[in-house]
Amino acid sequence: QVQLVESGGGLVQSGGSLRLSCAASSSGVSIITMGWYRQAPGKQRELVADITAFSYTRYADSVKGRFTISRDNTKSTVYLQMNSLKPEDTAVYYCKVGNARFSSWGQGTQVTVSS
């Protein structure tokens, strides 16, 4: 369907920042929603943030005020700016894109926040 390339994960100290990027292949498929999910060991995968083609955004309560999602339609890329990171943010972060007909997932990128 759509190939996704994620980058930006890594190890950061508590209070630090990271920016995740997810670039979608330009295959002619219309992508309406782009977003980020995360999953920690022993936890359910959860929505972190997503953004629609008309820039409507949603955030998990736990990241409101700290994370910002944005998209560059020219580059078919979605970003997640993560500030004031906490150990509780440690997880594998997955990019997801889709429309009414399909959804595609990235391979995931590890984010580790040390205390």
Side-chain angles (χ1 to χ4, degrees):
Q1 299 289 341
V2 176
Q3 296 295 315
L4 304 177
V5 179
E6 301 165 318
S7 63
L11 174 64
V12 67
Q13 296 288 323
S14 180
S17 298
L18 288 171
R19 189 174 82 153
L20 305 183
S21 299
C22 175
S25 62
S26 57
S27 60
V29 177
S30 178
I31 298 174
I32 302 301
T33 303
M34 310 182 79
W36 293 93
Y37 291 69
R38 68 186 181 187
Q39 187 167 23
K43 303 292 185 180
Q44 297 294 315
R45 187 173 298 187
E46 64 176 352
L47 172 71
V48 178
D50 63 12
I51 184 168
T52 69
F54 45 92
S55 297
Y56 179 83
T57 59
R58 298 188 299 169
Y59 295 93
D61 289 341
S62 59
V63 307
K64 288 180 180 177
R66 300 188 297 121
F67 292 9
T68 302
I69 190 168
S70 61
R71 63 189 289 168
D72 184 336
N73 292 324
T74 300
K75 299 180 179 180
S76 299
T77 300
V78 62
Y79 305 94
L80 185 68
Q81 179 66 47
M82 304 186 293
N83 297 326
S84 301
L85 283 161
K86 305 174 180 179
E88 309 94 90
D89 297 317
T90 296
V92 177
Y93 284 68
Y94 298 90
C95 180
K96 180 185 178 183
V97 304
N99 58 26
R101 296 185 60 193
F102 83 96
S103 62
S104 295
W105 292 87
Q107 294 298 305
T109 183
Q110 177 70 47
V111 171
T112 302
V113 184
S114 64
S115 59

